[in-house]
Amino acid sequence: MTTLTHRGRRPEVGRNSEKKPDSEEDAAADRDLPDGDPDDSKDIRLTLMEEVLLLGLKDKEGYTSFWNDCISSGLRGGILIELALRGRIHLEPLSIRKKRLLERKVLLKSDTPTGDVLLDETLRHIKATESAETVQTWIELLTGETWNPFKLQYQLRNVRERIAKALVEKGILTTEKQNFLLFDMTTHPISNATEKQRLVKKLQESMLERWVNDPNRMDRRTLALLVLAHSSDVLENVFSSLADDKYDVAMNRTKDLLDMDPEVEAAKARGAEMIWAVLAAFNKS
């Protein structure tokens, strides 16, 4: 796992009494994906992984920074959170022996397909494991960072390219070939900037005009995206366009949010446990 650090200051410039069948619950969770943000686009629904990659891409060049060694594991963390928000996986219940987030195993709640290739591949991996694994272990396995050759089968391959192709299909990116002296590389410049602008605006407003000073009152997907943008080292891209005074406010509030104790915050809101568990995993890396 790569070590994640906080970004510095920029340079001068309910349970129902009658339980629904799993398939009905899953369908409802998928329909309700964008929860609570009135500015969310109803025409294009993006997964958390697609949003993180979009934030990390250079608009015209169509690739992420060559120096960013965090985004691969950050995208895997996004897959786990997305599956949890869709009601497919959850953390095992608290027990006397397993109280901390990073000690609790990831359990399969439903294997109903989501319709997303990466999410469904991960679901199959989680279902196929003989013994359940923790959040941190799953991020490592999905990234391929394991010394156990028998567990290399759980690695998700070509994740960035597959996410980029999904964004091409949604009309947000395009595909080009660029020559870098010794090799050709497929790139994905942004062809429709509206969605990225919406994402940036949403995250900026969550730290400024709509700041609530309480993560439990935040929209869960917004909270998850802030955690993943930090973990993937693309948070600077979100706030870089702000004036210096607003930039400082937004970054300080984000730092305060990410410095909160995941154990304490997860105990306050069970629906966000996976978000805080992923943050705890990256804080430990």
Side-chain angles (χ1 to χ4, degrees), residues 12-284:
E12 288 294 326
V13 271
R15 223 151 77 168
N16 296 328
S17 55
E18 270 184 46
K19 179 168 174 52
K20 296 180 182 178
D22 283 346
S23 58
E24 288 184 29
E25 289 185 342
D26 300 337
D30 291 339
R31 283 196 303 271
D32 296 339
L33 277 183
D35 61 273
D37 191 332
D39 288 339
D40 273 354
S41 168
K42 301 303 180 184
D43 297 325
I44 302 177
R45 287 186 175 180
L46 302 183
T47 64
L48 289 169
M49 307 87 72
E50 290 167 348
E51 291 177 334
V52 169
L53 183 63
L54 192 55
L55 291 174
L57 282 176
K58 298 174 184 290
D59 292 7
K60 295 181 180 179
E61 293 87 346
Y63 51 82
T64 57
S65 169
F66 291 125
W67 311 112
N68 188 337
D69 59 356
C70 301
I71 196 167
S72 292
S73 51
L75 291 171
R76 271 68 171 189
I79 290 173
L80 295 179
I81 295 177
E82 186 73 55
L83 285 172
L85 292 179
R86 294 190 185 211
R88 300 312 198 269
I89 61 174
H90 64 106
L91 293 181
E92 66 180 335
L94 285 165
S95 67
I96 295 176
R97 290 177 54 249
K98 296 181 180 179
K99 294 183 178 181
R100 301 188 66 78
L101 290 170
L102 296 185
E103 296 171 346
R104 294 159 63 188
K105 309 287 187 173
V106 175
L107 302 181
L108 185 69
K109 185 176 180 181
S110 168
D111 61 357
T112 303
T114 66
D116 180 274
V117 177
L118 283 172
L119 295 178
D120 291 342
E121 184 177 342
T122 304
L123 265 184
R124 291 193 294 272
H125 287 330
I126 293 174
K127 183 178 180 180
T129 51
E130 293 182 3
S131 58
E133 304 286 359
T134 64
V135 167
Q136 185 164 16
T137 299
W138 268 118
I139 292 174
E140 292 170 352
L141 290 176
L142 296 173
T143 310
E145 296 180 357
T146 175
W147 293 103
N148 187 338
F150 297 105
K151 294 195 173 183
L152 286 173
Q153 60 182 312
Y154 299 124
Q155 179 183 2
L156 297 178
R157 300 182 184 277
N158 304 316
V159 168
R160 265 183 264 192
E161 181 62 22
R162 292 160 74 182
I163 295 173
K165 286 182 177 178
L167 288 170
V168 170
E169 292 175 1
K170 293 179 179 180
I172 298 172
L173 303 182
T174 187
T175 302
E176 295 181 357
K177 287 279 188 182
Q178 287 196 30
N179 181 271
F180 289 87
L181 296 179
L182 299 177
F183 62 94
D184 289 332
M185 185 174 81
T186 301
T187 61
H188 298 284
I190 294 179
S191 57
N192 178 359
T194 303
E195 194 64 19
K196 184 169 183 177
Q197 291 167 356
R198 181 191 68 82
L199 279 177
V200 169
K201 180 185 176 192
K202 180 174 79 168
L203 293 181
Q204 288 178 351
E205 288 183 347
S206 72
M207 291 293 107
L208 295 170
E209 293 91 343
R210 296 186 182 180
W211 175 243
V212 293
N213 199 29
D214 180 0
N216 294 309
R217 292 169 56 200
M218 292 181 70
D219 167 61
R220 284 183 300 168
R221 294 187 73 83
T222 301
L223 174 62
L225 189 53
L226 284 167
V227 166
L228 293 170
H230 162 70
S231 303
S232 303
D233 200 11
V234 299
L235 198 55
E236 172 71 15
N237 299 351
V238 174
F239 299 128
S240 61
S241 63
L242 292 171
D244 284 345
D245 56 341
K246 290 187 176 181
Y247 175 91
D248 288 338
V249 171
M251 288 299 286
N252 287 334
R253 286 175 175 172
T254 304
K255 183 178 184 303
D256 290 343
L257 176 69
L258 297 170
D259 282 347
M260 290 181 175
D261 186 341
E263 302 291 343
V264 173
E265 299 308 319
K268 294 178 184 176
R270 291 297 175 87
E273 279 186 322
M274 190 65 70
I275 299 173
W276 293 107
V278 167
L279 178 60
F282 283 111
N283 284 346
K284 185 179 177 181

